[in-house]
Amino acid sequence: DTAVSQTPKYLVTQMGNDKSIKCEQNLGHDTMYWYKQDSKKFLKIMFSYNNKELIINETVPNRFSPKSPDKAHLNLHINSLELGDSAVYFCASSLGRGAQFFGPGTRLTVL
Amino acid sequence: TQLLEQSPQFLSIQEGENLTVYCNSSSVFSSLQWYRQEPGEGPVLLVTVVTGGEVKKLKRLTFQFGDARKDSSLHITAAQPGDTGLYLCAGELLTNAGKSTFGDGTTLTVKP
């Protein structure tokens, strides 16, 4: 059974395009996150939602917009993609605070 | 400056050897987690520690949370090739509950 799933697994696109990454969790968790992992493997939080409400919004360009239609879903839309957006994006979820369960990641390559 | 600093950054050892990975900070954490990430996959939770001085064991892995809750260590006994991966510590600051900060990771390679 898939706990946290993300689609797509790979995303290759041109600069300037708009793209979305979807995330779903079936763990019954109330908190979901988006992380960006760069080429040096550093994992940095971008956003966090608790019960569909935004609770963490790190210094992320306005081109990134998360949307949580319900507790089980947290999607990430990116406008006007730039070369520096290339990275692996991870969705995660948790029950309250602390330990998080991660999705398999979406490798975004901007050409 | 990283809030959580891990050392060493890279570690390459032979099967059967022991090793320790450290996760240090000058800040106090309400809880700390260790994760292992394999290539092409997301981090997988290994353990959560919450009490200062706490020691938890998971088969050949021993995790310790510092008395002051500012640091943690992961010790692996008789490492196996299957232990190869990126080990990440993550902590939730006492003063910023709900937000986990990740360390910069330790890449472990265990050679057969």
Side-chain angles (χ1 to χ4, degrees), chain B residues 9-95:
Chain B
Q9 189 175 0
F10 297 96
L11 190 54
S12 181
I13 60 172
Q14 291 296 131
E15 183 176 0
E17 291 183 9
N18 302 332
L19 67 114
T20 302
V21 176
Y22 300 93
C23 177
N24 295 312
S25 177
S26 57
S27 301
V28 179
F29 293 90
S30 58
S31 71
L32 193 140
Q33 290 79 39
W34 284 93
Y35 296 83
R36 180 169 67 215
Q37 184 179 14
E38 298 188 19
E41 299 180 8
V44 175
L45 178 70
L46 296 174
V47 78
T48 296
V49 286
V50 295
T51 306
E54 183 176 2
V55 176
K56 281 191 173 179
K57 291 193 175 184
L58 184 66
K59 296 183 181 178
R60 293 176 294 101
L61 278 59
T62 302
F63 305 86
Q64 187 163 9
F65 201 13
D67 291 341
R69 291 185 294 162
K70 292 182 179 181
D71 51 77
S72 180
S73 64
L74 158 60
H75 182 79
I76 302 180
T77 304
Q80 298 177 1
D83 296 327
T84 294
L86 175 68
Y87 288 82
L88 296 160
C89 65
E92 197 176 334
L93 282 172
L94 201 61
T95 54

Side-chain angles (χ1 to χ4, degrees), chain A residues 16-85:
Chain A
N17 284 349
D18 303 338
K19 291 293 178 185
S20 292
I21 307 172
K22 295 186 176 181
C23 177
E24 177 181 1
Q25 55 94 5
N26 62 5
L27 297 168
H29 289 169
D30 56 2
T31 307
M32 296 185 72
Y33 312 80
W34 276 110
Y35 286 87
K36 180 180 181 181
Q37 188 171 46
D38 60 25
S39 57
K40 294 185 178 180
K41 305 298 183 185
F42 180 57
L43 205 59
K44 185 171 182 181
I45 190 166
M46 300 172 68
F47 302 102
S48 174
Y49 271 73
N50 178 265
N51 286 318
K52 300 194 301 175
E53 288 192 23
L54 182 66
I55 56 172
I56 293 174
N57 185 351
E58 291 298 289
T59 309
V60 178
N62 290 337
R63 299 181 292 103
F64 291 78
S65 53
K67 286 189 179 174
S68 182
D70 55 58
K71 282 198 318 181
H73 296 85
L74 180 61
N75 303 322
L76 183 64
H77 187 75
I78 316 170
N79 289 326
S80 303
L81 278 156
E82 300 177 357
L83 292 176
D85 297 332

